[in-house]
Coordinates of all heavy atoms in Angstrom, one line a residue:
M1 N 17.0 0.3 0.4 CA 16.1 -0.7 -0.1 C 16.7 -2.1 0.1 O 16.0 -3.1 0.3 CB 15.7 -0.5 -1.5 CG 14.8 0.8 -1.7 SD 13.3 0.8 -0.6 CE 12.5 -0.6 -1.1
T2 N 18.0 -2.2 -0.2 CA 18.7 -3.5 -0.1 C 18.5 -4.1 1.4 O 18.2 -5.3 1.5 CB 20.2 -3.4 -0.4 OG1 20.3 -2.9 -1.7 CG2 20.9 -4.7 -0.3
A3 N 18.7 -3.3 2.4 CA 18.5 -3.7 3.8 C 17.1 -4.2 4.0 O 16.9 -5.2 4.7 CB 18.9 -2.6 4.7
S4 N 16.1 -3.6 3.5 CA 14.8 -4.0 3.7 C 14.4 -5.3 3.1 O 13.5 -6.0 3.6 CB 13.8 -2.9 3.2 OG 13.7 -2.9 1.8
L5 N 15.2 -5.8 2.2 CA 14.9 -7.1 1.5 C 15.7 -8.2 2.2 O 15.4 -9.4 1.9 CB 15.3 -7.0 0.1 CG 14.5 -6.0 -0.8 CD1 14.9 -6.0 -2.2 CD2 13.0 -6.4 -0.7
A6 N 16.5 -7.9 3.2 CA 17.2 -8.9 3.9 C 16.3 -9.8 4.7 O 15.3 -9.3 5.3 CB 18.3 -8.2 4.9
P7 N 16.5 -11.1 4.9 CA 15.7 -11.9 5.6 C 15.5 -11.4 7.1 O 16.4 -11.0 7.7 CB 16.4 -13.3 5.6 CG 17.3 -13.2 4.4 CD 17.7 -11.8 4.3
G8 N 14.2 -11.4 7.5 CA 13.9 -11.0 8.9 C 13.6 -9.5 9.0 O 13.1 -9.1 10.0
Y9 N 14.1 -8.7 8.1 CA 13.9 -7.2 8.3 C 12.4 -6.8 8.3 O 11.9 -6.2 9.2 CB 14.6 -6.5 7.2 CG 14.6 -5.0 7.3 CD1 15.6 -4.3 8.0 CD2 13.6 -4.2 6.8 CE1 15.6 -2.9 8.2 CE2 13.6 -2.8 7.0 CZ 14.6 -2.2 7.7 OH 14.6 -0.8 7.9
L10 N 11.7 -7.1 7.2 CA 10.3 -6.8 7.1 C 9.5 -7.5 8.2 O 8.5 -7.0 8.7 CB 9.8 -7.0 5.7 CG 10.3 -6.2 4.6 CD1 9.9 -6.7 3.3 CD2 10.0 -4.7 4.8
E11 N 9.9 -8.7 8.5 CA 9.1 -9.5 9.5 C 9.1 -8.9 10.9 O 8.3 -9.2 11.7 CB 9.7 -10.9 9.5 CG 9.4 -11.7 8.2 CD 10.4 -11.4 7.1 OE1 11.3 -10.6 7.2 OE2 10.2 -12.0 6.0
R12 N 10.1 -8.1 11.2 CA 10.2 -7.4 12.5 C 9.3 -6.2 12.7 O 9.1 -5.7 13.8 CB 11.7 -7.1 12.8 CG 12.6 -8.2 13.1 CD 13.9 -7.8 13.6 NE 14.6 -6.8 12.8 CZ 15.5 -7.1 11.8 NH1 15.8 -8.3 11.6 NH2 16.1 -6.1 11.1
I13 N 8.8 -5.7 11.6 CA 8.0 -4.5 11.6 C 6.7 -4.8 12.2 O 5.9 -5.7 11.7 CB 7.9 -3.8 10.2 CG1 9.3 -3.4 9.7 CG2 6.9 -2.6 10.3 CD1 9.3 -2.9 8.3
D14 N 6.3 -4.2 13.3 CA 5.0 -4.5 14.0 C 4.0 -3.4 13.8 O 3.0 -3.4 14.6 CB 5.3 -4.8 15.5 CG 4.1 -5.5 16.1 OD1 3.4 -6.3 15.4 OD2 3.9 -5.3 17.3
L15 N 4.2 -2.5 13.0 CA 3.2 -1.4 12.7 C 2.3 -1.8 11.6 O 2.7 -2.5 10.7 CB 4.0 -0.1 12.3 CG 4.9 0.5 13.3 CD1 5.7 1.6 12.6 CD2 4.1 1.1 14.5
P16 N 1.0 -1.4 11.7 CA 0.1 -1.6 10.5 C 0.6 -0.7 9.4 O 0.8 0.5 9.5 CB -1.2 -1.2 11.0 CG -1.0 -0.3 12.2 CD 0.4 -0.7 12.8
L17 N 0.8 -1.4 8.2 CA 1.3 -0.7 7.0 C 0.4 -1.0 5.9 O -0.1 -2.1 5.7 CB 2.7 -1.2 6.7 CG 3.8 -0.8 7.7 CD1 5.1 -1.4 7.3 CD2 4.0 0.7 7.7
L18 N 0.2 0.0 5.1 CA -0.7 -0.1 3.9 C 0.1 0.3 2.7 O 0.7 1.3 2.6 CB -1.9 0.9 4.0 CG -2.8 1.0 2.8 CD1 -3.5 -0.3 2.5 CD2 -3.8 2.1 3.1
L19 N 0.1 -0.6 1.7 CA 0.8 -0.4 0.4 C -0.2 -0.3 -0.6 O -1.0 -1.2 -0.9 CB 1.8 -1.5 0.1 CG 2.5 -1.4 -1.2 CD1 3.4 -0.1 -1.2 CD2 3.4 -2.6 -1.5
M20 N -0.3 0.9 -1.3 CA -1.3 1.1 -2.3 C -0.5 1.0 -3.7 O 0.5 1.5 -3.8 CB -1.8 2.5 -2.3 CG -2.6 2.8 -1.0 SD -4.2 2.2 -1.3 CE -5.1 3.3 -0.2
S21 N -1.2 0.3 -4.6 CA -0.6 0.1 -5.9 C -1.6 0.6 -6.9 O -2.8 0.3 -6.8 CB -0.3 -1.3 -6.2 OG 0.7 -1.8 -5.3
A22 N -1.2 1.4 -7.9 CA -2.0 1.8 -9.0 C -2.0 0.6 -10.0 O -1.0 0.3 -10.6 CB -1.5 3.1 -9.6
G23 N -3.2 0.1 -10.3 CA -3.3 -1.1 -11.2 C -2.8 -0.8 -12.6 O -2.4 -1.8 -13.2
E24 N -2.9 0.4 -13.1 CA -2.4 0.7 -14.5 C -1.2 1.5 -14.5 O -0.9 2.3 -15.4 CB -3.6 1.4 -15.2 CG -4.9 0.7 -15.2 CD -4.8 -0.7 -15.9 OE1 -4.1 -0.9 -16.9 OE2 -5.4 -1.7 -15.3
D25 N -0.3 1.3 -13.4 CA 0.9 2.1 -13.3 C 1.9 1.7 -14.5 O 2.2 0.6 -14.6 CB 1.6 1.9 -12.0 CG 2.5 3.0 -11.6 OD1 3.2 3.5 -12.5 OD2 2.6 3.3 -10.4
R26 N 2.3 2.7 -15.2 CA 3.3 2.5 -16.3 C 4.7 2.9 -15.9 O 5.6 2.7 -16.6 CB 2.9 3.2 -17.5 CG 1.6 2.7 -18.1 CD 1.2 3.4 -19.4 NE -0.1 2.9 -19.9 CZ -0.9 3.5 -20.6 NH1 -0.6 4.8 -21.0 NH2 -2.0 3.0 -21.0
L27 N 4.9 3.4 -14.7 CA 6.2 3.8 -14.2 C 6.8 2.8 -13.2 O 8.0 2.7 -13.1 CB 6.1 5.2 -13.5 CG 5.7 6.4 -14.4 CD1 5.5 7.6 -13.6 CD2 6.6 6.6 -15.6
I28 N 5.9 2.2 -12.4 CA 6.4 1.2 -11.4 C 5.9 -0.2 -11.7 O 4.7 -0.3 -12.1 CB 5.8 1.7 -10.0 CG1 6.2 3.1 -9.7 CG2 6.2 0.7 -8.9 CD1 7.6 3.3 -9.5
D29 N 6.7 -1.1 -11.6 CA 6.3 -2.5 -11.7 C 5.8 -3.0 -10.4 O 6.5 -3.2 -9.4 CB 7.5 -3.4 -12.1 CG 7.2 -4.9 -12.2 OD1 6.0 -5.2 -12.1 OD2 8.1 -5.7 -12.5
I30 N 4.5 -3.1 -10.3 CA 3.8 -3.4 -9.0 C 3.9 -4.9 -8.6 O 3.4 -5.3 -7.5 CB 2.4 -2.9 -8.9 CG1 1.5 -3.7 -9.9 CG2 2.3 -1.4 -9.2 CD1 0.0 -3.4 -9.7
S31 N 4.5 -5.7 -9.5 CA 4.5 -7.2 -9.2 C 5.3 -7.5 -7.9 O 5.1 -8.6 -7.3 CB 5.1 -8.0 -10.4 OG 6.5 -7.6 -10.6
S32 N 6.2 -6.6 -7.5 CA 7.0 -6.9 -6.3 C 6.2 -6.5 -5.0 O 6.7 -6.8 -3.9 CB 8.3 -6.1 -6.3 OG 8.1 -4.7 -6.3
H33 N 5.1 -5.8 -5.1 CA 4.4 -5.3 -3.9 C 3.8 -6.4 -3.1 O 4.0 -6.4 -1.8 CB 3.4 -4.3 -4.3 CG 4.0 -3.1 -4.9 ND1 3.2 -2.0 -5.4 CD2 5.2 -2.7 -5.2 CE1 4.0 -1.1 -5.9 NE2 5.2 -1.4 -5.7
A34 N 3.1 -7.3 -3.6 CA 2.4 -8.4 -2.9 C 3.4 -9.2 -2.1 O 3.2 -9.5 -0.9 CB 1.6 -9.3 -3.8
P35 N 4.5 -9.7 -2.6 CA 5.5 -10.5 -1.8 C 6.1 -9.7 -0.7 O 6.3 -10.2 0.4 CB 6.6 -10.8 -2.8 CG 6.0 -10.7 -4.2 CD 4.9 -9.7 -4.1
V36 N 6.3 -8.4 -0.8 CA 6.8 -7.6 0.3 C 5.7 -7.5 1.4 O 6.0 -7.7 2.6 CB 7.2 -6.1 -0.2 CG1 7.4 -5.2 0.9 CG2 8.4 -6.2 -1.1
V37 N 4.5 -7.2 1.0 CA 3.4 -7.1 2.0 C 3.2 -8.4 2.7 O 2.9 -8.4 3.9 CB 2.1 -6.5 1.4 CG1 1.0 -6.6 2.4 CG2 2.3 -5.1 0.9
A38 N 3.4 -9.5 2.0 CA 3.2 -10.8 2.6 C 4.2 -11.1 3.8 O 3.9 -11.9 4.7 CB 3.3 -11.9 1.6
R39 N 5.3 -10.4 3.8 CA 6.3 -10.6 4.8 C 6.0 -9.7 6.0 O 6.6 -9.9 7.1 CB 7.7 -10.2 4.3 CG 8.1 -11.2 3.2 CD 9.5 -10.9 2.6 NE 10.5 -10.7 3.7 CZ 11.6 -10.0 3.5 NH1 11.9 -9.4 2.3 NH2 12.5 -9.8 4.4
L40 N 5.1 -8.8 5.9 CA 4.8 -7.9 7.0 C 3.8 -8.5 8.0 O 2.8 -9.1 7.5 CB 4.2 -6.6 6.5 CG 5.2 -5.7 5.7 CD1 4.4 -4.6 4.9 CD2 6.3 -5.1 6.5
K41 N 3.9 -8.3 9.3 CA 3.0 -8.9 10.3 C 1.6 -8.3 10.1 O 0.6 -9.0 10.2 CB 3.5 -8.6 11.7 CG 4.7 -9.3 12.1 CD 5.1 -8.9 13.5 CE 6.4 -9.6 13.9 NZ 6.9 -9.2 15.2
R42 N 1.6 -7.0 9.8 CA 0.3 -6.3 9.8 C 0.2 -5.5 8.5 O -0.3 -4.3 8.5 CB 0.2 -5.4 11.1 CG 0.2 -6.2 12.4 CD 0.4 -5.3 13.6 NE -0.8 -4.5 13.8 CZ -0.9 -3.6 14.7 NH1 0.1 -3.2 15.4 NH2 -2.0 -2.9 14.8
G43 N 0.6 -6.1 7.4 CA 0.5 -5.3 6.2 C -0.8 -5.6 5.4 O -1.4 -6.6 5.5
E44 N -1.1 -4.6 4.6 CA -2.3 -4.7 3.7 C -1.9 -4.2 2.4 O -1.2 -3.1 2.3 CB -3.5 -4.0 4.2 CG -4.7 -4.0 3.3 CD -5.9 -3.2 3.8 OE1 -5.9 -2.6 4.9 OE2 -6.9 -3.2 3.0
H45 N -2.2 -4.9 1.3 CA -1.9 -4.4 0.0 C -3.2 -4.2 -0.8 O -4.1 -5.0 -0.8 CB -1.1 -5.5 -0.8 CG -0.7 -5.1 -2.1 ND1 -0.5 -6.0 -3.2 CD2 -0.4 -3.9 -2.7 CE1 -0.2 -5.4 -4.3 NE2 -0.1 -4.1 -4.0
V46 N -3.4 -3.0 -1.3 CA -4.6 -2.6 -2.0 C -4.1 -2.2 -3.4 O -3.2 -1.3 -3.6 CB -5.3 -1.5 -1.3 CG1 -6.5 -1.0 -2.2 CG2 -5.8 -1.9 0.0
I47 N -4.7 -2.8 -4.4 CA -4.5 -2.4 -5.8 C -5.7 -1.6 -6.3 O -6.9 -2.1 -6.2 CB -4.3 -3.6 -6.7 CG1 -3.0 -4.4 -6.3 CG2 -4.1 -3.2 -8.2 CD1 -2.8 -5.7 -7.0
I48 N -5.5 -0.4 -6.7 CA -6.6 0.4 -7.2 C -6.7 0.2 -8.7 O -5.9 0.7 -9.5 CB -6.4 1.9 -6.9 CG1 -6.1 2.2 -5.4 CG2 -7.6 2.7 -7.4 CD1 -7.3 1.9 -4.5
S49 N -7.6 -0.7 -9.1 CA -7.7 -1.1 -10.6 C -8.1 0.2 -11.4 O -9.0 0.9 -10.9 CB -8.7 -2.2 -10.7 OG -8.3 -3.3 -10.1
G50 N -7.5 0.3 -12.5 CA -7.8 1.5 -13.3 C -7.0 2.7 -13.0 O -7.0 3.6 -13.9
A51 N -6.3 2.8 -11.9 CA -5.6 4.0 -11.5 C -4.2 3.9 -12.2 O -3.6 2.9 -12.3 CB -5.4 4.0 -10.0
K52 N -3.7 5.1 -12.5 CA -2.4 5.2 -13.1 C -1.4 5.5 -11.9 O -1.8 5.3 -10.8 CB -2.4 6.2 -14.2 CG -3.3 5.8 -15.4 CD -3.1 6.7 -16.5 CE -3.9 6.2 -17.7 NZ -5.3 6.6 -17.8
H53 N -0.3 6.1 -12.2 CA 0.8 6.2 -11.2 C 0.4 7.0 -10.0 O 0.6 6.6 -8.9 CB 2.0 6.8 -11.9 CG 3.2 7.0 -10.9 ND1 3.9 5.9 -10.5 CD2 3.7 8.1 -10.4 CE1 4.8 6.3 -9.7 NE2 4.8 7.6 -9.6
E54 N -0.3 8.1 -10.2 CA -0.6 9.1 -9.1 C -2.1 8.9 -8.7 O -3.0 9.6 -9.3 CB -0.3 10.5 -9.5 CG -0.6 11.5 -8.4 CD 0.1 11.2 -7.0 OE1 1.3 11.1 -7.0 OE2 -0.7 11.0 -6.1
I55 N -2.4 8.1 -7.7 CA -3.7 7.7 -7.3 C -4.5 9.0 -6.9 O -5.7 9.1 -7.3 CB -3.7 6.7 -6.2 CG1 -3.1 5.3 -6.7 CG2 -5.1 6.4 -5.7 CD1 -2.8 4.3 -5.7
M56 N -3.9 9.9 -6.2 CA -4.6 11.0 -5.7 C -5.0 12.0 -6.8 O -5.7 13.0 -6.6 CB -3.8 11.7 -4.6 CG -3.7 10.9 -3.4 SD -5.2 10.1 -2.8 CE -6.0 11.5 -2.1
M57 N -4.5 11.8 -8.0 CA -4.8 12.7 -9.1 C -5.8 12.0 -10.1 O -6.0 12.5 -11.2 CB -3.5 13.0 -9.9 CG -2.5 13.7 -9.1 SD -3.0 15.4 -8.6 CE -2.9 16.2 -10.2
E58 N -6.4 11.0 -9.6 CA -7.4 10.2 -10.4 C -8.8 10.8 -10.2 O -9.0 11.8 -9.6 CB -7.3 8.7 -10.0 CG -6.1 8.0 -10.4 CD -6.0 7.8 -11.9 OE1 -7.0 8.0 -12.6 OE2 -5.0 7.3 -12.4
T59 N -9.7 10.0 -10.7 CA -11.1 10.4 -10.6 C -11.6 10.2 -9.2 O -11.0 9.5 -8.4 CB -12.0 9.6 -11.6 OG1 -11.9 8.2 -11.2 CG2 -11.6 9.8 -13.0
D60 N -12.8 10.8 -8.8 CA -13.3 10.7 -7.5 C -13.5 9.2 -7.1 O -13.2 8.8 -6.0 CB -14.6 11.5 -7.4 CG -14.4 13.0 -7.3 OD1 -13.3 13.4 -7.0 OD2 -15.4 13.7 -7.5
P61 N -14.1 8.4 -8.0 CA -14.3 7.0 -7.6 C -13.0 6.2 -7.2 O -13.0 5.4 -6.3 CB -15.0 6.3 -8.8 CG -15.7 7.5 -9.5 CD -14.7 8.7 -9.3
L62 N -11.9 6.5 -7.9 CA -10.7 5.9 -7.7 C -10.0 6.4 -6.4 O -9.5 5.7 -5.5 CB -9.7 6.0 -8.8 CG -10.1 5.3 -10.1 CD1 -9.2 5.6 -11.3 CD2 -10.2 3.8 -9.9
R63 N -10.1 7.7 -6.2 CA -9.7 8.3 -4.9 C -10.5 7.8 -3.7 O -9.9 7.6 -2.7 CB -9.7 9.9 -5.0 CG -8.6 10.5 -5.7 CD -8.5 12.0 -5.5 NE -9.7 12.7 -5.8 CZ -10.0 13.2 -7.0 NH1 -9.1 13.1 -8.0 NH2 -11.1 13.8 -7.3
A64 N -11.7 7.6 -3.9 CA -12.6 7.1 -2.9 C -12.1 5.7 -2.4 O -12.1 5.4 -1.2 CB -14.0 6.9 -3.3
Q65 N -11.6 4.9 -3.3 CA -11.0 3.6 -2.9 C -9.7 3.8 -2.0 O -9.5 3.1 -1.1 CB -10.6 2.8 -4.1 CG -11.8 2.3 -4.9 CD -11.4 1.6 -6.2 OE1 -10.6 0.6 -6.1 NE2 -11.9 2.0 -7.3
F66 N -9.0 4.8 -2.4 CA -7.8 5.1 -1.6 C -8.2 5.5 -0.1 O -7.7 5.0 0.8 CB -7.0 6.3 -2.2 CG -6.0 6.8 -1.3 CD1 -4.7 6.4 -1.3 CD2 -6.3 7.8 -0.3 CE1 -3.7 6.9 -0.5 CE2 -5.3 8.3 0.5 CZ -4.0 7.9 0.5
W67 N -9.2 6.4 0.0 CA -9.7 6.8 1.3 C -10.3 5.7 2.1 O -10.2 5.7 3.3 CB -10.6 8.1 1.2 CG -9.8 9.3 0.7 CD1 -9.9 10.0 -0.4 CD2 -8.7 9.9 1.5 NE1 -9.0 11.0 -0.5 CE2 -8.2 11.0 0.7 CE3 -8.1 9.6 2.7 CZ2 -7.2 11.8 1.1 CZ3 -7.1 10.4 3.1 CH2 -6.6 11.5 2.3
Q68 N -11.0 4.8 1.4 CA -11.6 3.7 2.2 C -10.5 2.8 2.8 O -10.6 2.4 3.9 CB -12.4 2.8 1.2 CG -13.7 3.5 0.8 CD -14.4 2.8 -0.3 OE1 -13.9 1.8 -0.9 NE2 -15.6 3.2 -0.6
A69 N -9.4 2.5 2.0 CA -8.3 1.8 2.5 C -7.6 2.5 3.6 O -7.2 1.9 4.6 CB -7.4 1.4 1.4
F70 N -7.4 3.8 3.5 CA -6.8 4.6 4.5 C -7.6 4.6 5.8 O -7.0 4.5 6.9 CB -6.7 6.1 4.0 CG -6.0 7.0 5.0 CD1 -4.7 7.1 5.1 CD2 -6.8 7.7 5.9 CE1 -4.1 7.9 6.0 CE2 -6.2 8.6 6.8 CZ -4.9 8.7 6.9
D71 N -8.9 4.7 5.7 CA -9.7 4.6 6.9 C -9.6 3.3 7.6 O -9.6 3.2 8.8 CB -11.2 4.9 6.5 CG -11.4 6.3 6.2 OD1 -10.6 7.2 6.5 OD2 -12.5 6.6 5.6
R72 N -9.5 2.2 6.8 CA -9.3 0.8 7.4 C -8.0 0.8 8.2 O -7.9 0.3 9.3 CB -9.3 -0.3 6.3 CG -10.6 -0.7 5.9 CD -10.6 -2.0 5.1 NE -9.6 -2.0 4.0 CZ -9.8 -1.6 2.8 NH1 -11.0 -1.1 2.5 NH2 -8.9 -1.7 1.9
L73 N -6.9 1.4 7.6 CA -5.6 1.5 8.2 C -5.7 2.3 9.5 O -5.2 1.8 10.6 CB -4.6 2.1 7.3 CG -3.2 2.4 8.0 CD1 -2.5 1.1 8.3 CD2 -2.4 3.3 7.1
A74 N -6.4 3.4 9.5 CA -6.5 4.2 10.7 C -7.2 3.5 11.8 O -6.9 3.6 13.0 CB -7.2 5.5 10.3
A75 N -8.2 2.7 11.4 CA -9.0 1.9 12.4 C -8.1 0.8 13.1 O -8.4 0.4 14.2 CB -10.2 1.3 11.8
R76 N -7.1 0.4 12.4 CA -6.2 -0.7 12.9 C -5.1 -0.2 13.8 O -4.5 -1.0 14.5 CB -5.5 -1.4 11.7 CG -6.5 -2.2 10.9 CD -5.9 -2.8 9.7 NE -4.6 -3.4 9.9 CZ -3.7 -3.5 9.0 NH1 -3.9 -3.0 7.8 NH2 -2.5 -4.1 9.2
I77 N -4.9 1.1 13.9 CA -3.9 1.7 14.7 C -4.3 1.7 16.2 O -5.4 2.1 16.5 CB -3.5 3.1 14.3 CG1 -2.9 3.0 12.8 CG2 -2.5 3.7 15.2 CD1 -2.7 4.4 12.2
D78 N -3.5 1.0 17.0 CA -3.8 1.0 18.4 C -3.7 2.4 19.0 O -2.8 3.2 18.7 CB -2.7 0.1 19.2 CG -2.8 -1.3 18.7 OD1 -3.9 -1.8 18.3 OD2 -1.8 -2.0 18.8
R79 N -4.6 2.8 19.8 CA -4.6 4.1 20.4 C -4.3 4.1 21.8 O -4.4 3.2 22.6 CB -6.0 4.7 20.2 CG -6.3 4.9 18.7 CD -7.7 5.4 18.5 NE -7.9 5.2 17.1 CZ -8.2 6.2 16.3 NH1 -8.4 7.4 16.7 NH2 -8.4 5.9 15.0

């Protein structure tokens, strides 16, 4: 993780990346997520409001937000 925070490291990544954050996560401090994604060329940050730590164990409406973001990521991948 230390290496990934070095200047220029994240900026060189040219893959589309999606970082999902659970808006009500009590285990992870999500405040560092947006600055990391801002350094990525093709990054997207999605916060699932109301979700706790494990998004895929949430209710159907919250999981649906995950899958919508996942589908956007899949559409961005060059084929």
Side-chain angles (χ1 to χ4, degrees):
M1 291 307 299
T2 301
S4 70
L5 297 177
Y9 185 91
L10 294 172
E11 291 80 1
R12 288 191 308 265
I13 298 173
D14 196 31
L15 297 170
L17 294 173
L18 173 62
L19 177 63
M20 298 275 208
S21 301
E24 304 302 320
D25 200 322
R26 293 184 181 153
L27 299 174
I28 304 295
D29 178 4
I30 68 169
S31 66
S32 65
H33 295 179
V36 167
V37 172
R39 293 178 53 200
L40 296 166
K41 289 179 187 177
R42 299 170 68 190
E44 179 183 357
H45 182 211
V46 173
I47 299 173
I48 308 294
S49 297
K52 295 187 172 90
H53 182 70
E54 181 52 61
I55 295 169
M56 297 309 289
M57 299 295 288
E58 289 290 351
T59 61
D60 287 342
L62 294 175
R63 278 195 303 271
Q65 292 177 55
F66 170 92
W67 289 116
Q68 289 169 353
F70 179 86
D71 289 343
R72 280 194 312 273
L73 173 68
R76 290 173 46 207
I77 296 174
D78 296 332
R79 296 175 193 238

